[in-house]
Amino acid sequence: MTSLNIERRARLCDAAIEIVARAGLRGLTHRAVDAEAGVPPGTASRYFRTREALVRGVVERVRQVQFAKLRDLQLHLPDRTRLPEAVTRLAGEVLTVDRSQQLVLHELFIESTRQPCLGRLLTETVTALEELLIEVCHAAGITLSSRDALLLVTLCHGIVFTVLTTRPDAYDDLDGLVRTGVERIMAPYLHPAASAADAGGRR
């Protein structure tokens, strides 16, 4: 695929993301994507033959963008003590710069309970996200367990979902919410001696 085709595909997916964020999955059609992207009629259907292919393209585009941000975090994370700060900053970004992507992602999570194929695709995506998070932590000198990777992903998804839907006022304390949760999960890795002493005291 040429670079021009890759750019056009990404542009169509970005247009689809904006449509779903604004009108939900019911508004996602090839014609609507063409109009949103400002391309000739029939363009979206040439790149995505079916609506299912279009939805898959949306998932892949969200995954591409979000994973790139996490890999960038890995490159610029100086040491383990800065991880809570870095994850907090990333959460703030997905609620502002990437707000549409997050709205779409959570809508797709709900839809996946009714569409097994979509469910499998999203399960693969979340699993890959957990694995990438483990890699990021490993680069910072943290051997994160699979269970704690799942906890971190679930924590961030839950906070983002809540702020996007029922508690937009919580955005004012987003840093505190995310940092508190991340630090609690990461405490055994960031402060192993203190965590061991605390566990010993509870016996």
Side-chain angles (χ1 to χ4, degrees):
M1 184 178 290
T2 67
S3 60
L4 181 61
N5 285 340
I6 292 174
E7 291 174 6
R8 176 64 64 85
R9 183 184 178 89
R11 179 178 175 184
L12 292 169
C13 288
D14 288 340
I17 287 168
E18 292 304 321
I19 291 168
V20 177
R22 185 171 64 243
L25 281 170
R26 66 183 180 278
L28 184 63
T29 66
H30 289 90
R31 182 178 297 179
V33 172
D34 287 337
E36 182 77 20
V39 296
T43 302
S45 62
R46 286 199 299 273
Y47 281 81
F48 306 97
R49 292 294 183 183
T50 64
R51 190 172 183 276
E52 181 180 333
L54 190 55
V55 171
R56 176 178 288 272
V58 166
V59 175
E60 291 172 349
R61 178 60 174 164
V62 172
R63 174 172 171 165
Q64 176 190 24
V65 173
Q66 296 303 315
F67 281 31
K69 290 180 182 295
L70 198 53
R71 290 191 181 95
D72 185 65
L73 183 152
Q74 178 179 354
L75 293 174
H76 297 93
L77 190 63
D79 60 71
R80 69 175 67 193
T81 63
R82 303 294 294 276
L83 185 65
E85 175 188 337
V87 174
T88 299
R89 186 174 64 251
L90 193 59
E93 190 169 320
V94 301
L95 278 167
T96 51
V97 179
D98 302 326
R99 184 176 185 276
S100 291
Q101 290 192 8
Q102 293 305 308
L103 284 170
V104 170
L105 190 59
H106 287 288
E107 179 139 358
L108 289 172
F109 282 147
I110 299 299
E111 184 63 22
S112 72
T113 64
R114 298 180 284 268
Q115 295 189 28
C117 289
L118 179 58
R120 287 191 291 272
L121 179 60
L122 288 173
T123 297
E124 292 171 4
T125 298
V126 172
T127 300
L129 176 60
E130 293 164 13
E131 292 172 350
L132 181 55
L133 184 58
I134 289 172
E135 289 181 21
V136 170
C137 289
H138 182 73
I142 299 171
T143 306
L144 187 69
S145 70
S146 297
R147 178 179 179 276
D148 286 337
L150 174 60
L151 279 173
L152 280 172
V153 170
T154 304
L155 166 76
C156 291
H157 274 310
I159 292 175
V160 168
F161 179 78
T162 300
V163 173
L164 283 173
T165 55
T166 56
R167 289 293 303 275
D169 58 300
Y171 181 79
D172 294 335
D173 189 35
L174 180 68
D175 285 3
L177 287 170
V178 176
R179 187 185 293 274
T180 297
V182 173
E183 287 181 344
R184 287 180 180 177
I185 295 171
M186 298 302 299
Y189 304 97
L190 301 176
H191 315 289
S195 297
D198 182 56
R202 292 197 299 267
R203 288 177 186 152

